mmCIF file of all heavy atoms in Angstrom:
data_model
loop_
_atom_site.group_PDB
_atom_site.id
_atom_site.type_symbol
_atom_site.label_atom_id
_atom_site.label_comp_id
_atom_site.label_asym_id
_atom_site.label_seq_id
_atom_site.Cartn_x
_atom_site.Cartn_y
_atom_site.Cartn_z
ATOM 1 N N VAL L 1267 -5.562 7.994 10.326
ATOM 2 C CA VAL L 1267 -6.366 7.068 9.518
ATOM 3 C C VAL L 1267 -7.111 6.100 10.428
ATOM 4 O O VAL L 1267 -6.622 5.728 11.512
ATOM 5 C CB VAL L 1267 -5.456 6.299 8.530
ATOM 6 C CG1 VAL L 1267 -4.467 5.394 9.264
ATOM 7 C CG2 VAL L 1267 -6.267 5.510 7.518
ATOM 8 N N ARG L 1268 -8.314 5.756 9.996
ATOM 9 C CA ARG L 1268 -9.042 4.708 10.708
ATOM 10 C C ARG L 1268 -8.229 3.422 10.578
ATOM 11 O O ARG L 1268 -7.839 3.029 9.481
ATOM 12 C CB ARG L 1268 -10.442 4.549 10.124
ATOM 13 C CG ARG L 1268 -11.425 3.883 11.061
ATOM 14 C CD ARG L 1268 -12.857 4.019 10.576
ATOM 15 N NE ARG L 1268 -13.357 5.378 10.641
ATOM 16 C CZ ARG L 1268 -13.867 5.947 11.727
ATOM 17 N NH1 ARG L 1268 -13.920 5.261 12.871
ATOM 18 N NH2 ARG L 1268 -14.315 7.184 11.700
ATOM 19 N N ALA L 1269 -7.992 2.746 11.685
ATOM 20 C CA ALA L 1269 -7.021 1.650 11.707
ATOM 21 C C ALA L 1269 -7.377 0.542 10.733
ATOM 22 O O ALA L 1269 -6.484 -0.103 10.167
ATOM 23 C CB ALA L 1269 -6.896 1.086 13.120
ATOM 24 N N PHE L 1270 -8.667 0.315 10.480
ATOM 25 C CA PHE L 1270 -9.042 -0.770 9.565
ATOM 26 C C PHE L 1270 -8.408 -0.604 8.193
ATOM 27 O O PHE L 1270 -8.055 -1.589 7.543
ATOM 28 C CB PHE L 1270 -10.564 -0.863 9.423
ATOM 29 C CG PHE L 1270 -10.963 -1.754 8.283
ATOM 30 C CD1 PHE L 1270 -10.816 -3.128 8.390
ATOM 31 C CD2 PHE L 1270 -11.410 -1.221 7.088
ATOM 32 C CE1 PHE L 1270 -11.131 -3.964 7.323
ATOM 33 C CE2 PHE L 1270 -11.724 -2.045 6.016
ATOM 34 C CZ PHE L 1270 -11.585 -3.419 6.136
ATOM 35 N N VAL L 1271 -8.281 0.644 7.739
ATOM 36 C CA VAL L 1271 -7.706 0.868 6.404
ATOM 37 C C VAL L 1271 -6.331 0.221 6.304
ATOM 38 O O VAL L 1271 -5.984 -0.391 5.284
ATOM 39 C CB VAL L 1271 -7.648 2.369 6.095
ATOM 40 C CG1 VAL L 1271 -6.901 2.623 4.786
ATOM 41 C CG2 VAL L 1271 -9.052 2.963 6.033
ATOM 42 N N LEU L 1272 -5.529 0.353 7.361
ATOM 43 C CA LEU L 1272 -4.197 -0.253 7.362
ATOM 44 C C LEU L 1272 -4.256 -1.734 7.711
ATOM 45 O O LEU L 1272 -3.527 -2.548 7.121
ATOM 46 C CB LEU L 1272 -3.289 0.487 8.338
ATOM 47 C CG LEU L 1272 -3.089 1.979 8.067
ATOM 48 C CD1 LEU L 1272 -2.120 2.575 9.088
ATOM 49 C CD2 LEU L 1272 -2.578 2.218 6.650
ATOM 50 N N GLN L 1273 -5.105 -2.118 8.648
ATOM 51 C CA GLN L 1273 -5.224 -3.537 9.012
ATOM 52 C C GLN L 1273 -5.570 -4.388 7.796
ATOM 53 O O GLN L 1273 -5.074 -5.506 7.634
ATOM 54 C CB GLN L 1273 -6.289 -3.700 10.094
ATOM 55 C CG GLN L 1273 -5.899 -3.093 11.437
ATOM 56 C CD GLN L 1273 -7.104 -2.816 12.328
ATOM 57 O OE1 GLN L 1273 -8.253 -2.981 11.911
ATOM 58 N NE2 GLN L 1273 -6.853 -2.387 13.557
ATOM 59 N N GLY L 1274 -6.407 -3.849 6.917
ATOM 60 C CA GLY L 1274 -6.824 -4.603 5.742
ATOM 61 C C GLY L 1274 -5.709 -4.916 4.768
ATOM 62 O O GLY L 1274 -5.839 -5.818 3.929
ATOM 63 N N LEU L 1275 -4.586 -4.172 4.860
ATOM 64 C CA LEU L 1275 -3.454 -4.452 3.969
ATOM 65 C C LEU L 1275 -2.916 -5.862 4.168
ATOM 66 O O LEU L 1275 -2.221 -6.392 3.289
ATOM 67 C CB LEU L 1275 -2.339 -3.434 4.197
ATOM 68 C CG LEU L 1275 -2.675 -1.960 3.922
ATOM 69 C CD1 LEU L 1275 -1.479 -1.079 4.257
ATOM 70 C CD2 LEU L 1275 -3.112 -1.767 2.478
ATOM 71 N N ARG L 1276 -3.224 -6.472 5.316
ATOM 72 C CA ARG L 1276 -2.811 -7.861 5.557
ATOM 73 C C ARG L 1276 -3.286 -8.781 4.431
ATOM 74 O O ARG L 1276 -2.602 -9.755 4.068
ATOM 75 C CB ARG L 1276 -3.371 -8.314 6.914
ATOM 76 C CG ARG L 1276 -3.432 -9.801 7.171
ATOM 77 C CD ARG L 1276 -2.060 -10.441 7.267
ATOM 78 N NE ARG L 1276 -2.160 -11.857 7.548
ATOM 79 C CZ ARG L 1276 -2.430 -12.813 6.647
ATOM 80 N NH1 ARG L 1276 -2.635 -12.480 5.382
ATOM 81 N NH2 ARG L 1276 -2.471 -14.087 6.999
ATOM 82 N N ALA L 1277 -4.443 -8.475 3.841
ATOM 83 C CA ALA L 1277 -5.019 -9.326 2.805
ATOM 84 C C ALA L 1277 -4.246 -9.259 1.491
ATOM 85 O O ALA L 1277 -4.481 -10.078 0.592
ATOM 86 C CB ALA L 1277 -6.485 -8.955 2.573
ATOM 87 N N LEU L 1278 -3.324 -8.313 1.355
ATOM 88 C CA LEU L 1278 -2.488 -8.247 0.149
ATOM 89 C C LEU L 1278 -1.350 -9.254 0.183
ATOM 90 O O LEU L 1278 -0.686 -9.476 -0.834
ATOM 91 C CB LEU L 1278 -1.921 -6.838 -0.015
ATOM 92 C CG LEU L 1278 -2.927 -5.759 -0.428
ATOM 93 C CD1 LEU L 1278 -2.290 -4.375 -0.304
ATOM 94 C CD2 LEU L 1278 -3.420 -5.997 -1.848
ATOM 95 N N ASN L 1279 -1.081 -9.835 1.337
ATOM 96 C CA ASN L 1279 -0.030 -10.841 1.464
ATOM 97 C C ASN L 1279 1.305 -10.351 0.906
ATOM 98 O O ASN L 1279 1.973 -11.032 0.123
ATOM 99 C CB ASN L 1279 -0.450 -12.143 0.773
ATOM 100 C CG ASN L 1279 -1.571 -12.842 1.504
ATOM 101 O OD1 ASN L 1279 -1.336 -13.744 2.314
ATOM 102 N ND2 ASN L 1279 -2.804 -12.421 1.243
ATOM 103 N N LEU L 1280 1.695 -9.167 1.342
ATOM 104 C CA LEU L 1280 2.942 -8.558 0.880
ATOM 105 C C LEU L 1280 4.131 -9.091 1.661
ATOM 106 O O LEU L 1280 4.059 -9.291 2.879
ATOM 107 C CB LEU L 1280 2.858 -7.045 1.037
ATOM 108 C CG LEU L 1280 1.885 -6.331 0.086
ATOM 109 C CD1 LEU L 1280 1.454 -4.991 0.669
ATOM 110 C CD2 LEU L 1280 2.531 -6.138 -1.280
ATOM 111 N N THR L 1281 5.225 -9.305 0.963
ATOM 112 C CA THR L 1281 6.477 -9.736 1.578
ATOM 113 C C THR L 1281 7.618 -8.897 1.011
ATOM 114 O O THR L 1281 7.417 -8.056 0.123
ATOM 115 C CB THR L 1281 6.764 -11.219 1.303
ATOM 116 O OG1 THR L 1281 7.053 -11.381 -0.101
ATOM 117 C CG2 THR L 1281 5.575 -12.097 1.680
ATOM 118 N N ALA L 1282 8.817 -9.146 1.494
ATOM 119 C CA ALA L 1282 9.981 -8.395 1.009
ATOM 120 C C ALA L 1282 10.159 -8.548 -0.497
ATOM 121 O O ALA L 1282 10.631 -7.617 -1.174
ATOM 122 C CB ALA L 1282 11.236 -8.854 1.752
ATOM 123 N N ASP L 1283 9.773 -9.704 -1.038
ATOM 124 C CA ASP L 1283 9.920 -9.931 -2.476
ATOM 125 C C ASP L 1283 9.082 -8.978 -3.314
ATOM 126 O O ASP L 1283 9.327 -8.817 -4.513
ATOM 127 C CB ASP L 1283 9.537 -11.370 -2.828
ATOM 128 C CG ASP L 1283 10.545 -12.384 -2.334
ATOM 129 O OD1 ASP L 1283 11.714 -11.998 -2.134
ATOM 130 O OD2 ASP L 1283 10.166 -13.553 -2.129
ATOM 131 N N ASP L 1284 8.076 -8.373 -2.716
ATOM 132 C CA ASP L 1284 7.196 -7.468 -3.447
ATOM 133 C C ASP L 1284 7.765 -6.059 -3.567
ATOM 134 O O ASP L 1284 7.181 -5.222 -4.264
ATOM 135 C CB ASP L 1284 5.831 -7.382 -2.752
ATOM 136 C CG ASP L 1284 5.028 -8.656 -2.883
ATOM 137 O OD1 ASP L 1284 4.831 -9.108 -4.025
ATOM 138 O OD2 ASP L 1284 4.603 -9.205 -1.846
ATOM 139 N N PHE L 1285 8.870 -5.781 -2.896
ATOM 140 C CA PHE L 1285 9.385 -4.411 -2.847
ATOM 141 C C PHE L 1285 10.705 -4.285 -3.597
ATOM 142 O O PHE L 1285 11.551 -5.182 -3.576
ATOM 143 C CB PHE L 1285 9.538 -3.958 -1.394
ATOM 144 C CG PHE L 1285 8.221 -3.709 -0.727
ATOM 145 C CD1 PHE L 1285 7.510 -4.749 -0.163
ATOM 146 C CD2 PHE L 1285 7.670 -2.436 -0.708
ATOM 147 C CE1 PHE L 1285 6.275 -4.535 0.425
ATOM 148 C CE2 PHE L 1285 6.437 -2.211 -0.117
ATOM 149 C CZ PHE L 1285 5.734 -3.258 0.453
ATOM 150 N N ASP L 1286 10.858 -3.129 -4.235
ATOM 151 C CA ASP L 1286 12.040 -2.858 -5.046
ATOM 152 C C ASP L 1286 13.271 -2.634 -4.171
ATOM 153 O O ASP L 1286 13.172 -2.173 -3.028
ATOM 154 C CB ASP L 1286 11.813 -1.587 -5.882
ATOM 155 C CG ASP L 1286 10.475 -1.588 -6.599
ATOM 156 O OD1 ASP L 1286 9.437 -1.361 -5.922
ATOM 157 O OD2 ASP L 1286 10.464 -1.805 -7.806
ATOM 158 N N ASP L 1287 14.431 -2.947 -4.725
ATOM 159 C CA ASP L 1287 15.676 -2.540 -4.093
ATOM 160 C C ASP L 1287 15.739 -1.011 -4.071
ATOM 161 O O ASP L 1287 15.308 -0.339 -5.022
ATOM 162 C CB ASP L 1287 16.878 -3.085 -4.865
ATOM 163 C CG ASP L 1287 16.962 -4.604 -4.799
ATOM 164 O OD1 ASP L 1287 16.484 -5.170 -3.806
ATOM 165 O OD2 ASP L 1287 17.489 -5.206 -5.754
ATOM 166 N N GLU L 1288 16.262 -0.459 -3.005
ATOM 167 C CA GLU L 1288 16.335 0.995 -2.888
ATOM 168 C C GLU L 1288 17.422 1.553 -3.817
ATOM 169 O O GLU L 1288 18.567 1.120 -3.774
ATOM 170 C CB GLU L 1288 16.632 1.393 -1.442
ATOM 171 C CG GLU L 1288 15.455 1.193 -0.502
ATOM 172 C CD GLU L 1288 14.252 2.044 -0.852
ATOM 173 O OE1 GLU L 1288 14.436 3.143 -1.423
ATOM 174 O OE2 GLU L 1288 13.112 1.599 -0.586
ATOM 175 N N ALA L 1289 16.986 2.514 -4.666
ATOM 176 C CA ALA L 1289 17.934 3.157 -5.580
ATOM 177 C C ALA L 1289 17.593 4.637 -5.744
ATOM 178 O O ALA L 1289 17.814 5.224 -6.802
ATOM 179 C CB ALA L 1289 17.891 2.450 -6.939
ATOM 180 N N GLY L 1290 17.017 5.226 -4.714
ATOM 181 C CA GLY L 1290 16.688 6.646 -4.758
ATOM 182 C C GLY L 1290 15.481 6.984 -5.614
ATOM 183 O O GLY L 1290 15.293 8.146 -6.001
ATOM 184 N N GLN L 1291 14.620 5.990 -5.926
ATOM 185 C CA GLN L 1291 13.467 6.243 -6.788
ATOM 186 C C GLN L 1291 12.501 7.225 -6.131
ATOM 187 O O GLN L 1291 12.297 7.199 -4.919
ATOM 188 C CB GLN L 1291 12.708 4.941 -7.080
ATOM 189 C CG GLN L 1291 13.561 3.802 -7.624
ATOM 190 C CD GLN L 1291 13.971 2.819 -6.535
ATOM 191 O OE1 GLN L 1291 14.388 3.235 -5.452
ATOM 192 N NE2 GLN L 1291 13.862 1.527 -6.807
ATOM 193 N N ILE L 1292 11.900 8.079 -6.962
ATOM 194 C CA ILE L 1292 10.862 8.986 -6.459
ATOM 195 C C ILE L 1292 9.509 8.656 -7.087
ATOM 196 O O ILE L 1292 8.533 9.384 -6.878
ATOM 197 C CB ILE L 1292 11.229 10.460 -6.718
ATOM 198 C CG1 ILE L 1292 11.345 10.748 -8.219
ATOM 199 C CG2 ILE L 1292 12.502 10.836 -5.986
ATOM 200 C CD1 ILE L 1292 11.477 12.232 -8.545
ATOM 201 N N ASP L 1293 9.432 7.534 -7.819
ATOM 202 C CA ASP L 1293 8.185 7.136 -8.472
ATOM 203 C C ASP L 1293 8.370 5.717 -9.010
ATOM 204 O O ASP L 1293 9.492 5.200 -9.095
ATOM 205 C CB ASP L 1293 7.879 8.104 -9.629
ATOM 206 C CG ASP L 1293 6.464 7.949 -10.154
ATOM 207 O OD1 ASP L 1293 5.630 7.365 -9.437
ATOM 208 O OD2 ASP L 1293 6.184 8.420 -11.271
ATOM 209 N N GLY L 1294 7.241 5.064 -9.321
ATOM 210 C CA GLY L 1294 7.291 3.794 -10.034
ATOM 211 C C GLY L 1294 7.750 2.614 -9.210
ATOM 212 O O GLY L 1294 8.352 1.684 -9.760
ATOM 213 N N THR L 1295 7.477 2.601 -7.909
ATOM 214 C CA THR L 1295 7.840 1.464 -7.066
ATOM 215 C C THR L 1295 6.604 0.926 -6.356
ATOM 216 O O THR L 1295 5.539 1.556 -6.336
ATOM 217 C CB THR L 1295 8.871 1.867 -5.996
ATOM 218 O OG1 THR L 1295 8.231 2.688 -5.014
ATOM 219 C CG2 THR L 1295 10.059 2.597 -6.602
ATOM 220 N N THR L 1296 6.754 -0.219 -5.742
ATOM 221 C CA THR L 1296 5.661 -0.799 -4.964
ATOM 222 C C THR L 1296 5.235 0.137 -3.847
ATOM 223 O O THR L 1296 4.034 0.279 -3.561
ATOM 224 C CB THR L 1296 6.086 -2.155 -4.379
ATOM 225 O OG1 THR L 1296 6.445 -3.033 -5.448
ATOM 226 C CG2 THR L 1296 4.971 -2.774 -3.555
ATOM 227 N N ALA L 1297 6.197 0.776 -3.197
ATOM 228 C CA ALA L 1297 5.851 1.697 -2.114
ATOM 229 C C ALA L 1297 4.957 2.821 -2.617
ATOM 230 O O ALA L 1297 3.976 3.200 -1.953
ATOM 231 C CB ALA L 1297 7.121 2.265 -1.480
ATOM 232 N N HIS L 1298 5.256 3.362 -3.784
ATOM 233 C CA HIS L 1298 4.422 4.422 -4.341
ATOM 234 C C HIS L 1298 3.044 3.890 -4.722
ATOM 235 O O HIS L 1298 2.035 4.593 -4.575
ATOM 236 C CB HIS L 1298 5.107 5.049 -5.554
ATOM 237 C CG HIS L 1298 6.353 5.809 -5.214
ATOM 238 N ND1 HIS L 1298 7.607 5.242 -5.305
ATOM 239 C CD2 HIS L 1298 6.538 7.073 -4.760
ATOM 240 C CE1 HIS L 1298 8.513 6.136 -4.936
ATOM 241 N NE2 HIS L 1298 7.894 7.258 -4.597
ATOM 242 N N ALA L 1299 2.994 2.666 -5.212
ATOM 243 C CA ALA L 1299 1.693 2.069 -5.567
ATOM 244 C C ALA L 1299 0.839 1.847 -4.324
ATOM 245 O O ALA L 1299 -0.380 2.057 -4.348
ATOM 246 C CB ALA L 1299 1.912 0.763 -6.314
ATOM 247 N N ILE L 1300 1.459 1.429 -3.233
ATOM 248 C CA ILE L 1300 0.695 1.229 -1.993
ATOM 249 C C ILE L 1300 0.198 2.562 -1.454
ATOM 250 O O ILE L 1300 -0.926 2.657 -0.932
ATOM 251 C CB ILE L 1300 1.543 0.474 -0.958
ATOM 252 C CG1 ILE L 1300 1.799 -0.958 -1.441
ATOM 253 C CG2 ILE L 1300 0.859 0.455 0.404
ATOM 254 C CD1 ILE L 1300 2.738 -1.747 -0.577
ATOM 255 N N GLU L 1301 0.998 3.594 -1.573
ATOM 256 C CA GLU L 1301 0.569 4.930 -1.154
ATOM 257 C C GLU L 1301 -0.739 5.303 -1.858
ATOM 258 O O GLU L 1301 -1.677 5.808 -1.229
ATOM 259 C CB GLU L 1301 1.669 5.936 -1.491
ATOM 260 C CG GLU L 1301 1.397 7.352 -1.022
ATOM 261 C CD GLU L 1301 2.554 8.285 -1.371
ATOM 262 O OE1 GLU L 1301 3.168 8.097 -2.451
ATOM 263 O OE2 GLU L 1301 2.836 9.192 -0.576
ATOM 264 N N ARG L 1302 -0.820 5.028 -3.152
ATOM 265 C CA ARG L 1302 -2.038 5.301 -3.909
ATOM 266 C C ARG L 1302 -3.142 4.302 -3.564
ATOM 267 O O ARG L 1302 -4.318 4.679 -3.477
ATOM 268 C CB ARG L 1302 -1.718 5.287 -5.406
ATOM 269 C CG ARG L 1302 -0.958 6.538 -5.842
ATOM 270 C CD ARG L 1302 -0.025 6.334 -7.010
ATOM 271 N NE ARG L 1302 0.658 7.586 -7.346
ATOM 272 C CZ ARG L 1302 1.704 8.078 -6.677
ATOM 273 N NH1 ARG L 1302 2.200 7.418 -5.638
ATOM 274 N NH2 ARG L 1302 2.257 9.220 -7.038
ATOM 275 N N SER L 1303 -2.760 3.069 -3.345
ATOM 276 C CA SER L 1303 -3.749 2.044 -3.013
ATOM 277 C C SER L 1303 -4.466 2.356 -1.706
ATOM 278 O O SER L 1303 -5.662 2.061 -1.563
ATOM 279 C CB SER L 1303 -3.073 0.672 -2.915
ATOM 280 O OG SER L 1303 -2.545 0.276 -4.157
ATOM 281 N N ILE L 1304 -3.770 2.940 -0.747
ATOM 282 C CA ILE L 1304 -4.407 3.264 0.534
ATOM 283 C C ILE L 1304 -5.566 4.236 0.315
ATOM 284 O O ILE L 1304 -6.625 4.115 0.944
ATOM 285 C CB ILE L 1304 -3.363 3.798 1.525
ATOM 286 C CG1 ILE L 1304 -2.487 2.638 2.016
ATOM 287 C CG2 ILE L 1304 -4.032 4.503 2.710
ATOM 288 C CD1 ILE L 1304 -1.286 3.055 2.829
ATOM 289 N N GLY L 1305 -5.395 5.185 -0.595
ATOM 290 C CA GLY L 1305 -6.505 6.077 -0.926
ATOM 291 C C GLY L 1305 -7.649 5.333 -1.592
ATOM 292 O O GLY L 1305 -8.827 5.520 -1.248
ATOM 293 N N ILE L 1306 -7.313 4.476 -2.554
ATOM 294 C CA ILE L 1306 -8.339 3.698 -3.260
ATOM 295 C C ILE L 1306 -9.099 2.805 -2.283
ATOM 296 O O ILE L 1306 -10.336 2.714 -2.316
ATOM 297 C CB ILE L 1306 -7.683 2.854 -4.372
ATOM 298 C CG1 ILE L 1306 -7.106 3.764 -5.463
ATOM 299 C CG2 ILE L 1306 -8.677 1.868 -4.965
ATOM 300 C CD1 ILE L 1306 -6.204 3.049 -6.449
ATOM 301 N N LEU L 1307 -8.382 2.134 -1.406
ATOM 302 C CA LEU L 1307 -9.005 1.192 -0.477
ATOM 303 C C LEU L 1307 -9.824 1.897 0.589
ATOM 304 O O LEU L 1307 -10.842 1.369 1.056
ATOM 305 C CB LEU L 1307 -7.932 0.306 0.150
ATOM 306 C CG LEU L 1307 -7.192 -0.604 -0.838
ATOM 307 C CD1 LEU L 1307 -6.028 -1.310 -0.149
ATOM 308 C CD2 LEU L 1307 -8.141 -1.629 -1.459
ATOM 309 N N THR L 1308 -9.398 3.092 0.982
ATOM 310 C CA THR L 1308 -10.198 3.870 1.931
ATOM 311 C C THR L 1308 -11.589 4.117 1.358
ATOM 312 O O THR L 1308 -12.615 3.885 2.020
ATOM 313 C CB THR L 1308 -9.510 5.204 2.247
ATOM 314 O OG1 THR L 1308 -8.237 4.945 2.848
ATOM 315 C CG2 THR L 1308 -10.345 6.046 3.197
ATOM 316 N N GLU L 1309 -11.639 4.547 0.114
ATOM 317 C CA GLU L 1309 -12.934 4.828 -0.501
ATOM 318 C C GLU L 1309 -13.693 3.553 -0.831
ATOM 319 O O GLU L 1309 -14.933 3.526 -0.747
ATOM 320 C CB GLU L 1309 -12.742 5.697 -1.735
ATOM 321 C CG GLU L 1309 -12.185 7.076 -1.383
ATOM 322 C CD GLU L 1309 -12.221 8.071 -2.517
ATOM 323 O OE1 GLU L 1309 -12.002 7.659 -3.682
ATOM 324 O OE2 GLU L 1309 -12.464 9.261 -2.244
ATOM 325 N N GLU L 1310 -12.993 2.496 -1.185
ATOM 326 C CA GLU L 1310 -13.667 1.219 -1.441
ATOM 327 C C GLU L 1310 -14.370 0.719 -0.188
ATOM 328 O O GLU L 1310 -15.414 0.055 -0.263
ATOM 329 C CB GLU L 1310 -12.665 0.176 -1.940
ATOM 330 C CG GLU L 1310 -13.272 -1.163 -2.294
ATOM 331 C CD GLU L 1310 -14.279 -1.097 -3.423
ATOM 332 O OE1 GLU L 1310 -14.215 -0.160 -4.254
ATOM 333 O OE2 GLU L 1310 -15.147 -1.988 -3.491
ATOM 334 N N ALA L 1311 -13.818 1.038 0.982
ATOM 335 C CA ALA L 1311 -14.417 0.626 2.252
ATOM 336 C C ALA L 1311 -15.604 1.495 2.651
ATOM 337 O O ALA L 1311 -16.201 1.280 3.712
ATOM 338 C CB ALA L 1311 -13.362 0.657 3.354
ATOM 339 N N GLY L 1312 -15.958 2.477 1.815
ATOM 340 C CA GLY L 1312 -17.062 3.366 2.138
ATOM 341 C C GLY L 1312 -16.660 4.517 3.021
ATOM 342 O O GLY L 1312 -17.516 5.167 3.639
ATOM 343 N N LEU L 1313 -15.363 4.804 3.084
ATOM 344 C CA LEU L 1313 -14.831 5.860 3.944
ATOM 345 C C LEU L 1313 -14.346 7.037 3.096
ATOM 346 O O LEU L 1313 -14.109 6.892 1.887
ATOM 347 C CB LEU L 1313 -13.685 5.310 4.796
ATOM 348 C CG LEU L 1313 -14.065 4.161 5.737
ATOM 349 C CD1 LEU L 1313 -12.821 3.475 6.280
ATOM 350 C CD2 LEU L 1313 -14.938 4.674 6.880
#
């Protein structure tokens, strides 16, 4: 990935409080939402 795509995540101001406790989830968590957001943000950046 072009590094800017990940560098820009700094602007989300994410902390530990934003992430779910681990319970074996395979969907519906902040981590899964960020996985999708990286795709959205890549295209939003014109990439």
